[in-house]
């Protein structure tokens, strides 16, 4: 964290006590997500630190435990579990925190160039209300899905996160349209998670999704229309999961067993659908590793030379 802030132990702690912290960063290309646990400490992003660093990203924190107090221009924001904090790294700030566990999003300022005034007006504030609650649910769902994301998921997640943040900060006159957009994004994410968690379930149907999500069939079909329809989406995700299994050298199951595990009634049906989706047969897929690449192993342009967290921060948005 040295490129961003100076960290100090509380007055009643000595260096001999140590500082057992954990900082796990995920690079989604247009956004960094950090899972962090740290003991009590104080922090400062000074004017001198700003001059030595061109990083001016937006910082959005969701504490899971602990409390914090952060001061910007003599205004203090009190962070607490389940409440989103939004802060600009382009301004000096200082604060302190108790022992805490939190999820932090770093988003480049240019991502919000068309909404800069709304964000700047809410610098160092705690987001509240129905919109913020929906955003909290969405951020938690991203964290739960981090290990299963593929490269193709990343731009969509960054775009959806941006849209939901803007909707949260929209002026009251725009709230009706923002609410509809935010609700649709959150519902689509719940639907995607339901499909992903039930790919091997025989009961994965539009009817079961309507019951689980509490929506009508017409609303469900409307939601998945841009994805080619709900049945098409389910089959595509099942084929993608089957491809992962086929490409896994440690998976010794026969092709027909993998097909059955992901809801295909026969090897012939699976082979036809697989070939149409990927352009080659399941047997050929067994010996190739080209799809899908897991998100955590993707080499994004420029990141090969920037293996540190500081490097990721500097490359973000470029």
């Amino acid at each position: 964290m040295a490129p961003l802030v100076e960290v100090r132990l509380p007055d009643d702690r000595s260096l001999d006590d140590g500082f057992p912290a954990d900082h796990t960063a995920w690079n989604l290309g247009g956004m960094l997500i950090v899972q962090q646990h740290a003991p009590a400490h104080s922090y400062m992003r000074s004017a001198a630190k700003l001059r030595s660093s061109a990083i001016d990203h937006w910082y959005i924190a969701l504490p899971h435990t602990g409390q914090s107090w952060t001061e910007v221009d003599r205004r203090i924001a009190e962070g607490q579990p389940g409440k989103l904090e939004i802060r600009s790294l382009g301004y000096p700030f200082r604060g302190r925190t108790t022992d805490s566990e939190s999820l932090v999003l770093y988003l480049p300022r240019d991502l919000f160039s068309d909404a800069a005034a709304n964000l700047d007006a809410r610098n160092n504030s705690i987001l509240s209300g129905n919109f913020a609650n929906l955003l909290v649910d969405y951020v938690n769902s991203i964290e739960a899905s981090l290990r299963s994301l593929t490269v193709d998921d990343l731009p969509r997640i960054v775009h959806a996160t941006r849209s939901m943040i803007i909707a949260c900060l929209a002026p009251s006159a725009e709230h009706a349209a923002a609410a509809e957009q935010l609700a649709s994004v959150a519902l689509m994410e719940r639907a995607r998670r339901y499909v992903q968690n039930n790919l091997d379930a025989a009961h994965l149907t539009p009817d079961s999704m309507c019951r689980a999500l509490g929506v009508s069939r017409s609303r469900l079909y409307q939601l998945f229309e841009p994805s080619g329809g709900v049945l098409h989406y389910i089959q595509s995700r099942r084929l993608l999961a089957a491809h992962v299994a086929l490409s896994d050298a440690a998976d010794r199951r026969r092709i027909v067993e993998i097909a059955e595990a992901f809801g295909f009634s026969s090897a012939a049906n699976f082979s036809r659908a697989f070939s149409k989706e990927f352009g080659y047969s399941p047997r050929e897929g067994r010996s190739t590793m080209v799809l899908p690449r897991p998100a955590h192993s993707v080499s994004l342009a420029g990141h090969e030379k920037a293996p540190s967290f500081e490097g990721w921060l500097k490359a973000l948005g470029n």
Side-chain angles (χ1 to χ4, degrees):
M1 298 300 294
L4 298 179
V5 293
E6 300 163 8
V7 174
R8 296 182 181 276
L9 292 173
D11 292 340
D12 61 349
R13 299 284 297 276
S14 73
L15 293 178
D16 294 335
D17 295 326
F19 192 77
D22 183 78
H23 183 273
T24 303
W26 302 77
N27 194 330
L28 275 64
M31 173 173 71
L32 304 183
I33 295 182
V34 172
Q35 296 165 302
Q36 182 174 282
H37 177 263
H41 63 278
S42 62
Y43 47 88
M44 175 181 287
R45 184 161 175 78
S46 63
K49 181 71 74 174
L50 280 172
R51 287 193 295 271
S52 67
S53 168
I55 296 169
D56 62 352
H57 308 317
W58 285 101
Y59 168 103
I60 295 179
L62 176 60
H64 294 320
T65 63
Q67 284 185 288
S68 65
W69 297 264
T70 307
E71 179 187 352
V72 175
D73 291 334
R74 299 183 180 179
R75 291 183 294 107
I76 296 176
E78 183 176 344
Q80 52 187 299
K83 298 294 184 181
L84 284 164
E85 307 170 43
I86 183 168
R87 189 167 300 116
S88 171
L89 296 177
Y91 294 87
F93 59 81
R94 64 178 181 175
R96 62 185 178 90
T97 179
T98 64
D99 185 287
S100 62
E101 185 175 349
S102 58
L103 188 72
V104 181
L105 278 57
Y106 293 88
L107 301 109
R109 174 168 286 272
D110 288 348
L111 191 64
F112 300 94
S113 57
D114 58 338
N118 285 346
L119 268 73
D120 282 328
R122 299 295 296 273
N123 183 29
N124 196 45
S125 64
I126 307 299
L127 304 183
S128 60
N130 292 332
F131 299 100
N133 293 337
L134 286 171
L135 182 54
V136 167
D137 290 343
Y138 179 69
V139 170
N140 282 329
S141 74
I142 294 175
E143 182 178 21
S145 305
L146 282 171
R147 293 188 180 276
S148 64
L149 297 179
T150 64
V151 173
D152 291 341
D153 294 327
L154 306 188
R156 185 173 65 234
I157 288 174
V158 173
H159 177 74
T161 304
R162 174 194 180 279
S163 297
M164 295 186 76
I165 291 170
I166 289 176
C168 264
L169 301 174
S172 57
E174 301 174 14
H175 271 175
E180 184 176 350
Q181 179 189 35
L182 194 56
S184 292
V185 171
L187 180 58
M188 189 62 188
E189 182 59 27
R190 285 175 56 211
R192 288 194 180 108
R193 286 178 62 197
Y194 180 83
V195 171
Q196 192 64 36
N197 293 336
N198 292 277
L199 288 176
D200 58 351
H203 67 263
L204 180 56
T205 65
D207 285 339
S208 72
M209 291 182 66
C210 288
R211 289 192 296 271
L213 299 172
V215 298
S216 66
R217 287 177 68 91
S218 60
R219 179 72 176 108
L220 186 71
Y221 291 153
Q222 180 188 44
L223 198 65
F224 279 92
E225 186 177 358
S227 302
V230 61
L231 292 175
H232 177 267
Y233 180 82
I234 290 172
Q235 176 164 293
S236 294
R237 300 308 294 184
R238 279 177 159 165
L239 288 169
L240 200 59
H243 198 303
V244 172
L246 287 169
S247 301
D248 185 356
D251 194 327
R252 304 290 182 143
R253 289 177 295 175
R254 294 179 300 154
I255 291 176
V256 66
E257 292 175 322
I258 290 175
E260 291 173 351
F262 290 105
F264 291 89
S265 57
S266 72
N269 289 340
F270 174 66
S271 182
R272 279 194 297 271
F274 190 97
S275 299
K276 183 178 180 181
E277 183 81 5
F278 299 113
Y280 45 85
S281 70
R283 192 172 299 279
E284 292 172 301
R286 172 132 262 177
S287 60
T288 183
M289 298 290 182
V290 296
L291 282 175
R293 291 184 297 155
H296 61 267
S297 68
V298 64
S299 293
L300 297 166
H303 291 169
E304 294 87 343
K305 298 180 181 179
S308 68
F309 183 60
E310 180 180 7
W312 279 7
L313 285 168
K314 290 180 176 178
L316 185 61
N318 294 333

